[in-house]
Amino acid sequence: IERLDLEAERVALHEAAPAALCGRLPLGADQARHETIAEWVGPLITLPQDSLRGEMVESLIHYDEARLSKHEPEEGVAVSLFSFGRCVLHILNRLDVSSHYTFHEPRTPLRSHLWKFLLNILSSAGERGRRLFRAGHGMHVLCSILRGNSWGVAREEVRQQEEEDRDEEVELHTTRHLTWNIAEPQRTWPHVDYFSNTGRRLYEFYPRDYVDDRFYGAKDRMLAATFLEFMASDSSFWGEAGGGEEMMEETNPLQ
């Protein structure tokens, strides 16, 4: 499974969501592709109303947990239905707080539920689950949750197009040279650890993503840390070597 373009996947999901919820497809859409479980999970976990979205996430978790309570010890845990297709990718997209605010989950309690959902799905998916996790840039998502608003700068909530226009403007006015520039020290090594290749700061966060923390605490970060521990578990996840390999997929995991 190749690494996927998360931005393209997010746009495709949001364009298809209204039609999927209404039981109809856009003209010219591939009927076979839209008859998968992922085409329903994606829209359900992106519903605009918090209460409905939370109810749908709870229902999906309860449905998936039924297989955990019914299995026989000698037979092992049944593989989750949601470990097939793009369900894992849709969940990772909603957990990626480094994405534009219109794409990810802004509520701390719902992010916590999504982490629980993802843990349940991947715990029985084996190597295939690991490939899906990597294809969805799972370690980047995990690190973005662990970092949270601990450091970085507040990101202004503007339309995606306006944000892209601003980035383009910054790029046009910023040197692309990576050499030491004595004459202009403020432009020295601009992309080493503070800027990405597009000129955008690597560590930005939306303040509203953490408004719930005062009531619920950083539960999503606690679950992300638990996920990190489980990654190296031989019994339910990918073992010490596999967990270490996934950690190295992110640029600055130790930071």
Side-chain angles (χ1 to χ4, degrees), residues 8-224:
E9 291 291 331
R10 291 187 187 106
V11 172
L13 170 62
H14 281 256
E15 287 178 348
L21 288 172
C22 296
R24 55 184 174 79
L25 302 175
L27 291 176
D30 182 358
Q31 295 289 334
R33 180 179 180 278
H34 284 265
E35 290 176 355
T36 67
I37 187 67
E39 297 302 330
W40 288 96
V41 171
L44 290 177
I45 63 175
T46 55
L47 286 167
Q49 190 173 340
D50 288 349
S51 58
L52 287 177
R53 192 167 69 254
E55 186 178 342
M56 289 300 101
V57 171
E58 281 283 351
S59 298
L60 291 170
I61 291 174
H62 289 323
Y63 176 85
D64 187 59
E65 286 181 339
R67 66 187 171 86
L68 302 176
S69 59
K70 293 179 181 179
H71 83 281
E72 297 294 332
E74 61 275 7
E75 295 178 359
V77 179
V79 176
S80 171
L81 171 67
F82 302 110
S83 65
F84 298 92
R86 278 173 150 74
C87 292
V88 168
L89 180 64
H90 292 337
I91 297 171
L92 287 171
N93 274 335
R94 292 298 289 173
L95 287 169
D96 185 7
V97 293
S98 67
S99 66
H100 192 262
Y101 73 92
T102 57
F103 290 134
H104 65 253
E105 177 55 61
R107 300 294 304 278
T108 301
L110 284 175
R111 287 202 301 269
S112 300
H113 282 76
L114 287 173
W115 272 117
K116 180 181 179 182
F117 191 24
L118 185 64
L119 273 167
N120 288 343
I121 292 171
L122 294 182
S123 62
S124 60
E127 185 61 25
R128 179 166 49 81
R130 178 184 168 188
R131 295 200 302 272
L132 287 168
F133 182 78
R134 181 176 295 189
H137 305 254
M139 196 61 207
H140 168 75
V141 174
L142 187 65
C143 286
S144 70
I145 288 285
L146 289 172
R147 186 180 68 246
N149 60 346
S150 301
W151 71 84
V153 295
R155 185 173 174 181
E156 187 180 355
E157 292 187 17
V158 296
R159 291 183 302 107
Q160 190 178 19
Q161 184 59 54
E162 183 178 348
E163 192 173 72
E164 291 172 357
D165 291 342
R166 290 182 181 183
D167 289 344
E168 185 177 356
E169 184 178 353
V170 169
E171 186 175 353
L172 290 172
H173 290 86
T174 304
T175 178
R176 302 296 291 178
H177 299 292
L178 299 180
T179 55
W180 188 270
N181 191 340
I182 299 298
E184 296 180 298
Q186 74 274 17
R187 294 183 179 179
T188 299
W189 291 354
H191 312 305
V192 172
D193 95 306
Y194 191 58
F195 290 92
S196 67
N197 290 331
T198 62
R200 169 168 289 283
R201 291 180 178 88
L202 283 176
Y203 306 124
E204 294 183 322
F205 60 89
Y206 291 109
R208 77 163 180 169
D209 287 341
Y210 305 98
V211 171
D212 292 323
D213 283 3
R214 71 185 70 171
F215 305 108
Y216 299 97
K219 291 188 177 180
D220 55 334
R221 275 175 268 188
M222 292 170 59
L223 280 172

